[in-house]
């Protein structure tokens, strides 16, 4: 996989853009968030559903970890299988979009 490949550049750029946008939105609205927020939606209704607003920091961290791990994997796979490398890049974009969308939805419901 050539580093100058447009597809590779676009996927990495989108992934980076989604991660940065979600992180900046979280930083901009962090002081406006209540101290506890409903974040554990898989738990029963009540106090178990609530968590500290600091748990939201895990979302951008997940995006960054996904970006770097899949960046390394796509470079490894590119030597043998270009399709697998591109699939990993697409997966990275999807994961980072979902993380950014989740961050936006949680913040828009609370602020």
């Amino acid at each position: 996989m050539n580093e100058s490949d447009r597809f590779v550049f676009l996927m990495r750029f989108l992934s980076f853009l989604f991660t940065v946008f979600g992180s900046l939105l979280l930083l901009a609205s962090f002081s406006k968030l209540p101290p506890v927020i409903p974040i554990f939606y898989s738990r029963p209704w009540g106090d178990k559903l609530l968590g500290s607003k600091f748990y939201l920091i895990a979302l951008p961290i997940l995006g960054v970890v996904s970006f770097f791990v899949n960046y390394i994997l796509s470079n490894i796979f590119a030597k043998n299988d270009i399709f697998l490398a591109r699939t990993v890049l697409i997966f990275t974009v999807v994961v980072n979009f979902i993380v950014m969308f989740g961050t936006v939805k949680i913040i828009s419901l609370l602020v």
Side-chain angles (χ1 to χ4, degrees):
M1 184 165 51
N2 189 353
E3 286 295 323
S4 64
D5 188 2
R6 284 179 176 259
F7 181 79
V8 171
F9 175 77
L10 180 64
M11 292 298 108
R12 289 180 180 165
F13 178 74
L14 284 175
S15 201
F16 178 75
L17 189 70
F18 291 149
T19 302
V20 168
F21 179 74
S23 300
L24 290 177
L25 180 66
L26 182 61
L27 286 173
S29 61
F30 196 76
S31 63
K32 299 174 189 172
L33 293 173
V36 290
I37 56 173
I39 194 168
F40 302 112
Y41 292 108
S42 62
R43 293 185 181 171
W45 189 259
D47 288 339
K48 294 180 180 181
L49 183 76
L50 300 175
S52 172
K53 67 181 179 179
F54 292 101
Y55 281 109
L56 284 178
I57 295 172
L59 292 173
I61 291 172
L62 175 67
V64 169
V65 168
S66 169
F67 178 79
F68 284 116
V69 167
N70 289 333
Y71 176 83
I72 293 168
L73 287 177
S74 69
N75 284 337
I76 292 170
F77 294 147
K79 296 173 185 165
N80 299 325
D81 189 2
I82 192 74
F83 176 74
L84 185 57
R86 288 178 182 231
T87 304
V88 168
L89 288 172
I90 293 170
F91 178 74
T92 305
V93 172
V94 170
V95 166
N96 284 322
F97 176 76
I98 291 171
V99 167
M100 186 246 347
F101 185 75
T103 304
V104 168
K105 290 300 284 185
I106 290 170
I107 290 173
S108 68
L109 289 172
L110 297 172
V111 174

